Amino acid sequence: MKKISVIVPCYNEEETINLFFEALTSFWKDNLSDHELEAVFIDDGSKDNTLLLIRALADKHDSVRYGSFSRNFGKEAAMFAGLELCTGDCAVVIDADLQHPVETIKDMADKWNEGFDVIEGIKSTRGKEAKSHSLFANMFYGIISSLIGFDMRNSSDFKLIDRKVIDVLLTFTEKDTFFRALTFWSGFKSTSVEYEVKERSAGSSKWSGFSLVKYAFRNILAFTYTPLYLIAILGVLVILIGLYMGVDAVITYFKGESVGGYPSLVILITLSTGAILSSLGIVSIYLSKVFNEVKNRPRFIFREHN
Ligand code: UDP
Ligand code: MG
């Protein structure tokens, strides 16, 4: 019997863990009993009773594996920890809050059995998100999609990946991972299934507006060098503006008119200082990323796992 690992990153999910496990196992019994289930819960340094609850589940059910981080390392780290611990022939990564419907795992498993290696969960609707949130998400995925050349709009971390993809992802040594895009990037035979984003079953989203912006920038910078090329283009633009103003000044001089010195000087100085500073900023961000990778610290630290 083929084994499917279900990887569940959990951060302060005491209100949802048991609801989730109940929903997962009862659905499994009725619809996926021809596959073995392994549930892998990763406690991402929760401050509530999440760890106690998943430990209790692991004590009670042989099919439950768990790991717990020494502190909060973030969802990316939690997903990779799950990939490391899981022993299935494939793995499904799913949120603990039941926003990702467990029923979709069946659709994914069917596609997997047809021979696909990556089955992406694509949001058919984005649920009840704030307008500003979906506008921002659309912008972010628009940029990312055009930069990396795959359509990532409506994509999510909810996906099934075959064992060979898991093994490949685990060879990646970068610390700054972007799971959602790496499965596209790795290039295996992939397809998608649609699902409807549900309301959070309980608890609250761990994302604030600011952390979403940070996430977007982090991933755009982690995945592409385009901003560095944009700097070069910006430099050329500033040179062109300088040339234009220079020629204009010479012409004005030979016409016998006086050249307006102060305004053009102010414009030039602010323009070029702005260009230099923002360029320096972009280079610094890449430098900090290189710094981070060179330190070669682990992506996460387990406090315990079974
Ligand atoms: N999560 C995590 N570490 C974090 C933040 C979130 O493991 O630092 C988990 C969280 O427990 C949930 C999933 O990632 O299972 C998605 O988080 P959330 O529901 O807060 O995000 P949203 O659905 O609002 O995008
Ligand atoms: Mg959620």
Side-chain angles (χ1 to χ4, degrees):
M1 191 154 64
K2 289 204 265 187
K3 176 154 62 168
I4 302 180
S5 299
V6 175
I7 297 172
V8 199
C10 309
Y11 181 53
N12 295 343
E13 296 285 5
E14 63 179 6
E15 287 170 86
T16 63
I17 295 278
N18 284 329
L19 289 175
F20 172 83
F21 190 67
E22 174 54 39
L24 178 70
T25 44
S26 68
F27 179 77
W28 209 275
K29 213 165 60 217
D30 298 337
N31 301 280
L32 272 163
S33 51
D34 49 343
H35 291 79
E36 188 184 340
L37 165 68
E38 176 187 62
V40 183
F41 289 95
I42 304 294
D43 161 41
D44 184 9
S46 301
K47 295 182 180 68
D48 62 2
N49 289 319
T50 299
L51 175 58
L52 291 181
L53 293 172
I54 59 182
R55 221 193 258 137
L57 285 177
D59 286 343
K60 220 159 110 196
H61 307 272
D62 289 338
S63 60
V64 174
R65 303 210 57 193
Y66 80 97
S68 177
F69 288 169
S70 59
R71 64 168 169 85
N72 181 243
F73 279 91
K75 189 182 175 189
E76 282 291 323
M79 290 188 291
F80 272 86
L83 294 178
E84 227 174 85
L85 285 187
C86 78
T87 59
D89 300 300
C90 71
V92 177
V93 175
I94 188 169
D95 284 0
D97 55 13
L98 290 171
Q99 283 196 287
H100 297 160
V102 288
E103 300 83 42
T104 309
I105 299 178
K106 167 87 176 118
D107 305 337
M108 291 178 168
D110 288 345
K111 296 269 185 194
W112 177 54
N113 286 319
E114 280 171 29
F116 289 98
D117 298 319
V118 177
I119 297 98
E120 309 274 348
I122 304 280
K123 297 170 191 160
S124 57
T125 60
R126 295 193 60 100
K128 285 206 170 56
E129 287 175 339
K131 271 267 173 306
S132 59
H133 185 132
S134 42
L135 195 78
F136 180 76
N138 272 331
M139 217 170 71
F140 165 53
Y141 285 113
I143 295 174
I144 268 263
S145 305
S146 65
L147 291 180
I148 65 176
F150 314 108
D151 187 7
M152 286 202 47
R153 253 158 310 164
N154 296 328
S155 76
S156 67
D157 292 325
F158 185 26
K159 56 183 83 187
L160 182 152
I161 57 178
D162 186 77
R163 169 52 60 186
K164 50 179 174 289
V165 185
I166 301 174
D167 289 342
V168 164
L169 289 184
L170 289 177
T171 63
F172 293 1
T173 54
E174 69 219 65
K175 307 299 161 203
D176 228 351
T177 52
F178 187 23
F179 178 68
R180 210 171 283 195
L182 285 175
T183 53
F184 280 94
W185 184 89
S186 57
F188 286 93
K189 194 174 165 202
S190 74
T191 184
S192 59
V193 296
E194 288 208 346
Y195 70 94
E196 202 147 317
V197 183
K198 296 198 182 163
E199 295 268 333
R200 216 173 204 288
S201 58
S204 58
S205 172
K206 312 296 177 295
W207 292 100
S208 63
F210 180 63
S211 63
L212 268 176
V213 174
K214 244 174 56 183
Y215 178 78
F217 274 104
R218 195 189 107 166
N219 290 319
I220 288 174
L221 294 176
F223 232 88
T224 159
Y225 311 114
T226 311
L228 290 172
Y229 294 103
L230 290 179
I231 293 180
I233 295 171
L234 185 69
V236 172
L237 278 179
V238 174
I239 291 172
L240 287 178
I241 293 172
L243 277 178
Y244 169 78
M245 292 181 87
V247 171
D248 188 53
V250 171
I251 292 172
T252 316
Y253 175 79
F254 281 112
K255 275 190 190 159
E257 296 162 19
S258 66
V259 182
Y262 184 67
S264 42
L265 204 63
V266 170
I267 294 171
L268 263 188
I269 290 178
T270 40
L271 211 75
S272 51
T273 316
I276 291 170
L277 283 182
S278 54
S279 310
L280 204 61
I282 293 175
V283 175
S284 314
I285 295 173
Y286 279 101
L287 189 64
S288 69
K289 287 186 170 295
V290 174
F291 179 51
N292 196 34
E293 297 291 336
V294 166
K295 278 189 290 188
N296 206 19
R297 291 191 189 148
R299 280 184 200 136
F300 53 81
I301 300 168
F302 275 128
R303 170 173 38 201
E304 61 178 85
H305 64 79
N306 68 352

